[in-house]
Amino acid sequence: MTFSRRSILATLGAAALLAGCGSTPTQPAAPVAATPTPVPLRHVKIALALGGGAARGFAHIGVIKALEAQGIVPDIVVGTSAGSVVGALYASGYNGFQLQKIALDMDETTISDWAIPFFSKAPGVLKGEALQTYVNKAVHNQPIEKLKIPFGAVATDLKTGKPILFRRGNTGMAVRASSSVPGVFQPVVISGRSYVDGGLVAPVPVRFAKEMGAEFIIAVNISSATEAQATASSVDVLMQTFTIMGQRLNQYELKDADVVITPALGTMGSADFTGRNLAVLAGEQAAAGVMADLKARLKAKQGTPAPLSAAR
């Protein structure tokens, strides 16, 4: 049989094709691992809840300084008593260093206006008007709703015993009401109702920070241990009573804070204005001591989806 050149080439081609089909197939390339897309950190509403403690409140300034040094600036500030004083000034625009200068330059006589009990029917040896004037002058007479950071001051309705959160109106008057320790300051009358110190109902106002929309709450507790308080005078006994009440309330209040900062103020008294510099330093040290944990907790919260109430 005679084979043409074309048929021979076709046969050889088919044989080569069959040989190729019988060879080991080429292994597919290993898939390239996809690089995970980092979850963007969302903005979390941070609140600074500043507790009461009279002169021990200078420690709040040290906490603010330490937070600012780490770039942590709250979206909300809420204060009780001494915390409302520092909180109002901070919310109005003063930074930590400016607050420290104000504190060191402060003459306590400028916020003390003694009432003469014989001529005054209102209970309390201090009227509180000087404190109101001092705060309003410091915030340039801005009402609460005009402050740079949303601010709230907690006071107690003297008749009902219920708390009130002042978020609008006269800043100095709200701070005065929040700071009016019964028996020391005269009650403050606002719209026909009498108000006294917010420490009676919220020594550290964590729940009110939540009420104002906070998602991450930094609470500053400046109350003293009961055994550290002197009881040599009637005022000492009164402040000791506040301390005992405050400890019970704080057991419930502070557990809802994300971070609690407790400056080591030792036996510093409620009226010890001479220790203000040490109090500021104690606040800085206490904040620095929890800063790593605070930043880790904040980052974890920033990486979670926003709650429905915040997302709306």
Side-chain angles (χ1 to χ4, degrees):
M1 184 181 295
T2 302
F3 295 96
S4 66
R5 183 177 180 183
R6 181 178 295 176
S7 63
I8 293 172
L9 291 174
T11 302
L12 290 174
L17 182 61
L18 290 173
C21 291
S23 63
T24 304
T26 304
Q27 294 296 323
V32 179
T35 303
T37 304
V39 178
L41 298 179
R42 67 182 181 88
H43 179 75
V44 170
K45 279 191 176 182
I46 301 172
L48 190 58
L50 305 177
R56 296 165 69 92
F58 290 110
H60 290 317
I61 297 172
V63 172
I64 290 170
K65 286 178 64 181
L67 292 174
E68 287 182 335
Q70 297 296 320
I72 300 172
V73 178
D75 303 280
I76 297 165
V77 179
V78 58
T80 291
S81 198
S84 74
V85 178
V86 176
L89 269 60
Y90 183 45
S92 74
Y94 294 101
N95 63 34
F97 285 97
Q98 291 169 327
L99 289 174
Q100 183 172 13
K101 185 178 187 309
I102 290 172
L104 296 181
D105 292 342
M106 177 188 287
D107 180 356
E108 57 266 35
T109 61
T110 61
I111 59 172
S112 302
D113 47 358
W114 297 91
I116 303 175
F118 183 79
F119 295 104
S120 175
K121 294 182 180 180
V125 295
L126 296 175
K127 292 184 288 186
E129 293 172 358
L131 174 61
Q132 177 177 327
T133 300
Y134 177 86
V135 171
N136 277 335
K137 183 178 179 181
V139 303
H140 308 294
N141 291 309
Q142 294 180 97
I144 294 174
E145 64 272 19
K146 296 294 184 181
L147 299 180
K148 293 183 178 179
I149 301 175
F151 170 71
V154 180
T156 306
D157 187 311
L158 185 58
K159 187 173 183 178
T160 65
K162 293 181 179 180
I164 181 170
L165 180 66
F166 288 105
R167 296 187 61 183
R168 300 184 63 83
N170 188 307
T171 303
M173 184 173 286
V175 168
R176 174 187 170 193
S178 180
S179 306
S180 292
V181 179
V184 178
F185 284 92
Q186 295 175 358
V188 181
V189 179
I190 302 174
S191 300
R193 304 195 70 86
S194 296
Y195 296 99
V196 292
D197 197 292
L200 290 169
V201 288
V204 185
V206 173
R207 57 182 157 144
F208 293 100
K210 276 193 171 183
E211 184 179 305
M212 291 176 69
E215 298 175 73
F216 189 88
I217 301 172
I218 303 169
V220 186
N221 178 22
I222 58 170
S223 62
S224 61
T226 54
E227 61 272 14
Q229 284 278 17
T231 54
S233 68
S234 57
V235 173
D236 289 338
V237 172
L238 182 61
M239 298 311 296
Q240 174 78 330
T241 304
F242 264 72
T243 299
I244 294 169
M245 292 174 53
Q247 286 185 339
R248 289 298 184 93
L249 290 170
N250 280 341
Q251 289 178 3
Y252 300 98
E253 197 92 6
L254 294 177
K255 64 183 178 62
D256 290 328
D258 293 276
V259 175
V260 178
I261 300 174
T262 307
L265 296 169
T267 59
M268 180 181 181
S270 300
D272 185 6
F273 279 77
T274 61
R276 67 191 82 180
N277 203 27
L278 292 176
V280 173
L281 179 60
E284 288 187 72
Q285 292 173 334
V290 302
M291 192 61 69
D293 181 54
L294 187 157
K295 293 171 79 172
R297 288 172 181 262
L298 179 57
K299 187 174 182 180
K301 185 68 70 77
Q302 289 172 326
T304 61
L308 292 176
S309 58
R312 290 173 185 167

